[in-house]
Amino acid sequence: MSDEEQSPGSKPARAMGKEITMNPLQEWGEEVEDGGVYGVTLKRVRTESPSADIPANPLSPGYVHYKTCKVRSIRAGTLEKLVENLLVEFQGSDPGYVPTFLSTYRAFTSPEKVLELLLDRCLEKVSDKEPVRHGSSVPETGTVQRVVRGLLQTWLERHPQDFRDSPRCLQLISSYLNRDSRETPSQLLRLLKSLEDEGTQDPSEKEWQLITRPAEGDSEASGNTITLLSYPPQDVAEQLTLIDVDLFQKLQSCHCLGSIWSQRDKKENRHVAPSVRATVAQFNAVTACVTASVLSDIQLKPQLRAKVLEKWICIAQYCRFLRNFSSLRAILSALQSNSIYRLKRTWSSVSRDNLNIFHKLSAIFSDDNNHEISREILTKDEIPLRRTNSARNEPRPLQRSASQVRSTRPAQGTVPYLGTFLTDLVMLDTALPDYIEGGLINFEKRRKEYEVLAKIQKLQLTCRHYVLTPKPEILQAFYTHRQLTEDQSYRISRSIEPPADSCPNSPRIRRKLTKRFSSLLLGSEVFSPKMNGDRVSPSGSCSSCEIDEGLIAALCPAEPASGKLTERTLLEPFNLPTTPLREDAVGPLSSPRSPVSPSLPVYNQQIADLCIIRVSMENTHGNLYKSILLTSQDKSRVVIQRALHKHNIDLCGPDDFQLVQLLSDGKELTIPDTANVYYAMNTSANFDFVLRRRRVS
């Protein structure tokens, strides 16, 4: 649908020589077809000349002509309709459709299924001599072939891992190309041949082993005798960045999707998302290395131990200047862990300058305003660090305008803290339904997810600007460095400084500690943001590494009553319950024709009859929370049943437990069995609950 409009004269169209800007888009509504729901937008575009039925006025140089076009974008549909839309939108009016689909389709189907639907449709057109029926959204037969080839080439270029994971997809493409006599683009053939050759390589090769990691038995004598901190801080920071760049470039963005990453703790999904797991493992290795280097020598005097802290602060500062926020966060997480944070005498020996640097670096990951600082800093241009051996040349990131930076240096790479994006995607997956009424796939949800994935992919491209040289002796020293478990770290910390001496003069980072990134691998759950920065977790346990996501906040530390560092969770996978419970949880978010929720629920705040609560099992010391999406319709029994499912407790029923909200000062609120939890809970306290077994009378 289209029509043309005219501005009636030069004055309405121009003002003081400038064109009046108009909103070129206008939401019109929705159209429903068999198997699909489309959003309709009226787009106002300027044309060079009016149509034949509208006379031109050459005496009015300010005359402006507009054409109003109807633009449709699919919002929900069957899998067949979504695949068909790939052909329509490959070079159509919705340029974001193809990259969105290719980046997110694994959340609702497999690459084999998509390829079968795409090629089967195409092969039917090849053998069908009759033209496509009038009004069909699929192009004519000849065009279909060109579009499919373009799609295959785009798919192979941008997501080659889809075909490495599924050799059958390569067989399907080869079979299709052999059956079609049309000329095949040489680039498509080269990509296909390259992936087929990779498939013949030794399958025993570890796919996610770092290319920068020295081979076993290849360590030099210096690597065994010289400790990691014996090397200059800038060298150590550069080698950590080299590892992180390698991992981040190999990261598959689809592995970060909430529906994929959140299922990692199930037994059958132990090998899910290997690229994310590799990043998590490296984060934990850095954290463990920092902790062990500070605590390993029990006899070390506080002044000398403080020098170790200062060395890591300097390394963290270089990581900041290299824009390696992954290792930066890992180092800060270790320094803020309870086993190191509590060493009062050690921290009192750290110089004031280094403490100031430490506080400034920690402020980057502040949870204020939805982690605004850490999000903004990813998009800022900065002056790079010039290589020097001067000990006085401490890296100080300077902010300048984009034009100034571009004129003084080439582009700079960035390695983000992945937890930011993981949590955003998990929250989206929790808040928005996968399907709408009629069983149609909610593609609007995928568009929102792609907005996050696109940021990851953009940052991956910047990593090409890093120019770093591997130094095997430093890498070997890092990989062979001693590591301690959390229990060992805390026991050693207590031996170094007994509990009676701990904490009052430790560096106060607003009394908030970070949580272990390792919890990502342990199937733990997400901590959503505290709306009140002064609230303290009622569990009394401490956390040792915080996730920097847009929706997660840091926790306040406290001394573990057991004398053992309990393990908090970093990021909740939001393991969704079975389909009935899932629909019950997210049903109110979506109307039949509007798959998108107007606002997303957050922790510690009730928004639009929704909120997120955290539920743990009693007698687990509060270290394993599961986040539950709570609606204004949920009774106690439903919430208990949902929590049991997320904790993988199938042998007990909801009638065996009580739901108890944890209040401040050790107080509790028992939710009645027949109560509506949304209205019965105390909204002025943290939204933390426990499931407590009923006492048998």
Side-chain angles (χ1 to χ4, degrees), residues 8-63:
S10 58
K11 289 185 179 179
R14 296 179 179 272
M16 299 298 291
K18 296 181 180 180
E19 291 190 15
I20 298 176
T21 58
M22 297 176 143
N23 185 0
L25 298 176
Q26 179 181 355
E27 294 292 335
W28 186 255
E30 287 185 344
E31 291 182 356
V32 181
E33 288 185 0
D34 184 23
V37 177
Y38 294 83
V40 180
T41 303
L42 298 182
K43 186 176 182 180
R44 182 181 175 89
V45 296
R46 183 175 177 177
T47 59
E48 295 298 330
S49 60
S51 59
D53 57 341
I54 301 179
N57 189 348
L59 300 180
S60 300
Y63 232 77

Side-chain angles (χ1 to χ4, degrees), residues 295 298 305 338-345 486-502 558-565:
L295 300 176
I298 299 179
R305 198 181 308 278
N338 201 47
S339 56
I340 296 179
Y341 175 91
R342 61 180 299 279
L343 300 178
K344 176 187 63 175
R345 292 195 295 266
E486 288 189 348
D487 287 346
Q488 291 172 336
S489 300
Y490 192 70
R491 286 197 299 268
I492 294 174
S493 176
R494 289 170 61 91
S495 299
I496 294 171
E497 293 190 26
D501 297 335
S502 65
E559 198 75 24
S562 63
K564 168 183 174 181
L565 186 61

